[in-house]
Amino acid sequence: MDTVQSESSSSNTSITISSSSSLCTTPPRSESTHVTAPIVQERLPTSFYLRLAMRVSRARWFIFLRRVFHYQNGSRSDLGSNPFNSSTWMMSELIALFIQLTVITFTLAISKDERPIWPVRLWITGYDVGCLLSLMLLYGRFRQLDHDHGDIEQRHRGTEDNRSSRLMNRCRTSLELFFAIWFVIGNVWVFDSRFGSFNHAPTLHVLCVSLLAWNALCYSFPFLLFMFLCCIVPLASSLLGYNMNMGSSDRGASDDEIFSLPSWKYKRIDDNASAPATDDPQCCICLAKYKDKDEVRELPCSHKFHLKCVDQWLRIISCCPLCKQDLPR
């Protein structure tokens, strides 16, 4: 009996101990679940916006906007470095001009019976002629860019190409001046409060307002680009704790990709005219001037740096330090 009682008492004590241990261990698990849930909910929005910022910084349109900003605020000597001479941008210009010409032609055809007070139809016709001239200049720019990339020797020795490019730039400047003057005249004729142009010619009035709004958006593009890249992007990146400038690539470039880029030893043009020379007098990474026999490397965007400086940069970030253009994979 004593043995039975001792065994029963030991079993009772074991049961109570196990039950007490279960009671002691269950509340911390419940508390941990209640504590960690709000933390996960608080981290989800931040990680989502951070991933969104990383995707934006690595997008092609964001890199293109950075190139446009650098081109508008830097040197424009190199034709190949002009982001507006890219095939994608020229295709977008072609589509925009084609849409404008189609809409203008269709609107003039269906609004023959309208009699506006101001010569709005004359303004639309002049705008249509300007779009046709812009289409011709766009074709000339495309031919010139294709010709320059196709024949390098003729680009170095061709004086006729320089004359044609100068003539094209003058025509483009004159056309931009015409559109600016025509934009002011259109605002005066369309938004004159003394005459109700919408009542006499509603279709032509809507077309003029649409064309003026499109031109106003194009004229304000540099300001909008400045506000986006210099105000909105730095503010958003500082709030998220993410550097948008460093996010143009996922990883650094490999040694094979770096060594495949062209490099040479720097020589002055006066000393050796056959050797290539850099356009910039100094390296933009170390801010030191180039000296004779300095090893220089050129990136696909035509920017040049010291070989040691840019190799160290590319091993961390596989993009240009100036225009943020990624290296071809």
Side-chain angles (χ1 to χ4, degrees):
M1 290 296 291
D2 296 334
T3 57
V4 172
Q5 289 178 357
S6 61
E7 290 178 356
S8 63
S9 61
S10 62
S11 63
N12 291 331
T13 54
S14 63
I15 293 173
T16 55
I17 290 171
S18 63
S19 61
S20 62
S21 61
S22 62
L23 291 175
C24 294
T25 53
T26 51
R29 292 179 182 177
S30 62
E31 289 177 1
S32 61
T33 54
H34 288 294
V35 171
T36 55
I39 295 176
V40 173
Q41 292 179 359
E42 289 177 1
R43 289 181 180 178
L44 279 177
T46 305
S47 60
F48 171 75
Y49 291 126
L50 189 61
R51 290 195 301 268
L52 180 62
M54 294 174 64
R55 292 180 181 177
V56 169
S57 63
R58 296 164 186 168
R60 292 184 177 181
W61 62 269
F62 184 77
I63 298 174
F64 175 78
L65 291 180
R66 291 185 61 88
R67 291 181 59 196
V68 170
F69 183 78
H70 180 265
Y71 172 75
Q72 291 179 346
N73 296 275
S75 60
R76 304 186 182 185
S77 58
D78 189 8
L79 181 65
S81 62
N82 187 357
F84 296 108
N85 284 330
S86 60
S87 58
T88 305
W89 181 263
M90 287 186 179
M91 183 60 66
S92 62
E93 285 189 5
L94 178 62
I95 294 174
L97 289 173
F98 182 76
I99 291 175
Q100 291 182 73
L101 290 172
T102 304
V103 172
I104 289 173
T105 304
F106 178 76
T107 306
L108 291 176
I110 64 175
S111 62
K112 295 181 179 179
D113 299 334
E114 296 182 356
R115 296 293 182 269
I117 298 176
W118 289 108
V120 179
R121 189 175 282 107
L122 175 63
W123 185 86
I124 296 176
T125 305
Y127 189 89
D128 197 5
V129 173
C131 291
L132 290 174
L133 295 177
S134 299
L135 191 61
M136 296 173 60
L137 285 177
L138 182 63
Y139 177 74
R141 286 167 53 198
F142 178 77
R143 289 290 302 272
Q144 182 183 5
L145 185 64
D146 189 16
H147 182 70
D148 289 341
H149 287 297
D151 192 359
I152 300 176
E153 294 180 357
Q154 190 173 1
R155 181 174 58 179
H156 285 288
R157 60 184 172 84
T159 57
E160 296 180 357
D161 294 338
N162 294 330
R163 293 177 182 177
S164 61
S165 61
R166 291 176 184 176
L167 180 61
M168 188 175 299
N169 291 330
R170 291 179 182 178
C171 293
R172 188 176 181 180
T173 304
S174 302
L175 189 59
E176 290 177 356
L177 180 61
F178 165 76
F179 273 113
I181 297 174
W182 213 240
F183 177 76
V184 176
I185 295 175
N187 280 280
V188 174
W189 286 353
V190 173
F191 297 103
D192 195 347
S193 60
R194 295 176 297 175
F195 303 99
S197 58
F198 181 77
N199 297 326
H200 297 84
T203 306
L204 295 176
H205 181 81
V206 171
L207 178 61
C208 289
V209 172
S210 302
L211 295 176
L212 290 174
W214 170 253
N215 281 267
L217 182 62
C218 293
Y219 289 143
S220 60
F221 175 73
F223 175 75
L224 296 177
L225 183 62
F226 172 79
M227 292 293 295
F228 179 74
L229 293 179
C230 296
C231 298
I232 299 177
V233 171
L235 180 61
S237 61
S238 62
L239 292 177
L240 295 175
Y242 174 71
N243 192 353
M244 301 285 285
N245 299 330
M246 306 289 286
S248 58
S249 62
D250 294 334
R251 57 181 177 83
S254 62
D255 292 338
D256 295 335
E257 294 173 350
I258 295 175
F259 294 153
S260 63
L261 300 175
S263 62
W264 60 84
K265 290 185 178 181
Y266 177 78
K267 294 290 185 181
R268 293 184 182 275
I269 300 178
D270 297 334
D271 297 336
N272 189 1
S274 60
T278 56
D279 298 332
D280 300 328
Q282 64 182 6
C283 176
C284 297
I285 298 178
C286 63
L287 301 180
K289 293 184 178 180
Y290 295 112
K291 298 179 181 179
D292 290 339
K293 297 183 180 180
D294 283 349
E295 293 183 349
V296 180
R297 190 181 297 280
E298 182 180 4
L299 300 184
C301 56
S302 302
H303 292 141
K304 307 171 185 67
F305 311 92
H306 280 135
L307 186 139
K308 294 182 179 179
C309 299
V310 74
D311 287 357
Q312 185 178 1
W313 173 278
L314 293 176
R315 287 188 177 93
I316 302 173
I317 306 171
S318 60
C319 66
C320 177
L322 288 178
C323 63
K324 305 301 179 183
Q325 181 178 351
D326 291 336
L327 294 182
R329 297 293 185 182

